[in-house]
Amino acid sequence: MVKFVECTNCHTTIQLPHGAQSIRCAVCRAVTTDTKGPRKGTQLSTKTNNNSSLSNTIKPPSVFGRKRALIIGINYKETEGKLEGCINDAKCMKYLLINRFKFPQHSIVTLTEEEKDPELIPTLHNIRVAMYWFMQGVKAGDSLVFHFSGHGSQERNYTSDEIDGYDETLCPLDYETKGEIVDDELNATLVRPLPRGAKLLALIDACHSGTMLDLPYFCRMDRTGRYVWEDHRPRSGSWKGTSGGEVILFSGCDDHQLSSDTECLSKVTSTGAMTFSFIQAIERGQGTTYGSILKAIKSFIRNSDCDLGSNISPCLLTMLTIGGVSGLSSRQEPQLTANEPFDVYTKKFSL
C-alpha cells in the first residue's frame, strides 16, 4: 500500500514510509505529521479491472535485473501553450524501448492525454503517484528509464542550491491550476533513493531542462566533442546524489535555453528535437557510448537545416516568472548530467 500526506507548509504531496508517523518535505524541509490516518484517494487502487489502476496496469517482473519505464508526453491540448509532438515522443520512446532494448511491454507505464484510464492522464497528482510507483522495490540489477516530453519552466530559488538562482520545473497537464513539479522533488523522488547496483536513464525533452534532476555533475561538451565535468554540487551542502545507484540524464537544452517542438526534423510529423535526435543516434549506430550519443544529438540538431528557434513554444510560466524570453537563448544544446563523473567515450551505453 502506498500512502501519501500533504506537506503542511508547501502542500507538496509526499509519500509516507510504511509505519512512519511523520516525514520531512524534500522541497521546503518542513516536517509533516500524519494525524488523520489514511486519506481518501491517496493510495494506489487495488481494483481487479486491469484498466482501472496504476498498480494493475503494470506488474514488474520479479526476476533479478528487471526493466521498468515511466514515459510522459503532454501536448496541453486546448491551452495557450499547446504543443504538437510530445505524445509522438512518448509513443516513439515506448517503441524504441520495446523493440530495441527488449523492455517488456507490461513493464512500461505511459501517461498522455490520449489514455482512456483517468489515472494515466498526466496530471500533477497522477505523475507523482506514477513516480512513486516507479521507484518502489528498486534493487541492484534493475534498469529504469524515465522520459518526459512537455513544457519545462523555472522559478526563483531561495535556498542557494542553484548556481543560476533558479529551480527548474516540469509542467503537468494541469500546471496552471495545480502547479509544477520542482527539480528538488524530482531529485528526492527519482535520484536519492536509487540503491547501489541499480541504474536510471532519464530523458527530459523540455525547456530549461539542463539540470532538471539536480544531479551533482554537468558534462560541458563543445562542438568538437571535447568535454569537461562541471561540479554543480549545491553550495549549501545539500546531498543531491544517489544511495549508490547510477543516474544519467540527457536533457533537451541548457537551463537558460528553450527546447523545440517541430516537424522540421522528421519531415513527417511533430516531435521534440532532442527525443527525435536521441532515437536517430541509436538507430544509426551512434549509441555505443554516452559520449557518442551526446555528440551525435548535438551535431544532428546543430547541422539540421531547420530554424528550430522559430518553432519553440516557450512556457507561459517562464514568461511570467522571469519576465519574458528576451534574455533566453533560443539556440538549443542538449546536455548530459550525472550523479558521478565518468569517461563519456569509454563508458558503454546500455539499458
Side-chain angles (χ1 to χ4, degrees), residues 90-334:
K91 292 177 179 178
C92 290
M93 184 57 60
K94 182 176 180 179
Y95 183 88
L96 180 76
L97 292 179
I98 292 173
N99 293 280
R100 173 69 68 169
F101 295 104
K102 309 305 178 186
F103 274 61
Q105 186 165 348
H106 64 270
S107 73
I108 301 175
V109 161
T110 305
L111 275 62
T112 73
E113 295 117 302
E114 294 183 350
E115 302 301 322
K116 296 180 180 179
D117 184 342
E119 293 190 9
L120 296 179
I121 301 299
T123 62
L124 176 66
H125 175 74
N126 286 348
I127 291 175
R128 280 175 169 161
V129 171
M131 288 195 301
Y132 287 125
W133 162 83
F134 186 56
M135 299 302 295
Q136 292 300 306
V138 176
K139 60 185 180 181
D142 289 355
S143 178
L144 284 67
V145 173
F146 175 82
H147 176 260
F148 178 92
S149 180
H151 278 312
S153 188
Q154 290 180 307
E155 60 182 42
R156 294 191 183 279
N157 171 270
Y158 298 98
T159 62
S160 300
D161 280 352
E162 299 285 347
I163 293 176
D164 61 358
Y166 290 95
D167 283 315
E168 284 64 52
T169 66
L170 294 182
C171 299
L173 178 62
D174 55 353
Y175 72 90
E176 292 177 308
T177 57
K178 298 297 184 181
E180 320 102 89
I181 301 176
V182 183
D183 53 10
D184 295 320
E185 180 179 351
L186 293 171
N187 182 274
T189 305
L190 302 177
V191 177
R192 273 182 266 175
L194 198 72
R196 186 172 304 279
K199 60 183 180 180
L200 165 64
L201 173 72
L203 299 104
I204 299 182
D205 201 347
C207 296
H208 313 292
S209 54
T211 62
M212 190 66 78
L213 292 187
D214 265 358
L215 294 169
Y217 297 97
F218 188 106
C219 179
R220 184 74 65 184
M221 181 179 286
D222 66 17
R223 285 173 170 265
T224 67
R226 292 179 298 182
Y227 71 93
V228 61
W229 284 100
E230 297 177 355
D231 189 341
H232 279 223
R233 286 176 292 183
R235 290 172 292 179
S236 64
S238 299
W239 175 247
K240 295 291 187 175
T242 70
S243 296
E246 174 188 275
V247 180
I248 296 174
L249 164 66
F250 284 103
S251 50
C253 61
D254 211 338
D255 287 343
H256 63 282
Q257 296 176 332
L258 306 176
S259 288
S260 178
D261 175 61
T262 178
E263 61 181 42
C264 184
L265 295 177
S266 73
K267 310 298 184 184
V268 177
T269 188
S270 293
T271 63
M274 192 277 285
T275 299
F276 182 83
S277 301
F278 174 84
I279 294 174
Q280 284 291 297
I282 298 297
E283 295 296 333
R284 293 179 177 183
Q286 297 170 308
T288 306
T289 66
Y290 290 90
S292 65
I293 293 175
L294 181 61
K295 185 177 180 180
I297 293 174
K298 286 175 171 284
S299 178
F300 187 82
I301 291 177
R302 186 186 305 120
N303 297 330
S304 69
D305 57 359
C306 303
D307 180 13
L308 296 182
S310 65
N311 293 286
I312 292 173
S313 177
C315 180
L316 295 177
L317 288 180
T318 296
M319 293 186 278
L320 291 173
T321 304
I322 57 181
V325 296
S326 59
L328 299 176
S329 170
S330 61
R331 181 179 175 182
Q332 179 177 354
E333 285 281 345

Side-chain angles (χ1 to χ4, degrees), residues 6-118:
E6 187 175 271
C7 175
T8 54
N9 181 54
C10 71
H11 306 294
T12 294
T13 302
I14 314 169
Q15 182 186 8
L16 188 68
H18 179 69
Q21 297 300 314
S22 63
I23 188 170
R24 184 180 296 277
C25 177
V27 178
C28 71
R29 310 306 295 169
V31 175
T32 297
T33 301
D34 179 31
T35 59
K36 300 180 181 179
R39 295 187 293 129
K40 183 177 179 181
T42 59
Q43 63 187 39
L44 289 178
S45 169
T46 55
K47 301 174 186 176
T48 57
N49 185 335
N50 286 338
N51 293 319
S52 63
S53 69
L54 270 179
S55 59
N56 286 306
T57 298
I58 181 168
K59 295 180 180 179
S62 59
V63 298
F64 181 82
R66 300 172 300 176
K67 293 188 175 186
R68 188 187 305 187
L70 174 58
I71 300 173
I72 303 168
I74 315 176
N75 280 349
Y76 310 91
K77 299 176 181 178
E78 312 302 328
T79 73
E80 292 185 36
K82 179 181 178 181
L83 298 173
E84 299 290 344
C86 299
I87 294 178
N88 290 336
D89 287 346
K91 292 177 179 178
C92 290
M93 184 57 60
K94 182 176 180 179
Y95 183 88
L96 180 76
L97 292 179
I98 292 173
N99 293 280
R100 173 69 68 169
F101 295 104
K102 309 305 178 186
F103 274 61
Q105 186 165 348
H106 64 270
S107 73
I108 301 175
V109 161
T110 305
L111 275 62
T112 73
E113 295 117 302
E114 294 183 350
E115 302 301 322
K116 296 180 180 179
D117 184 342

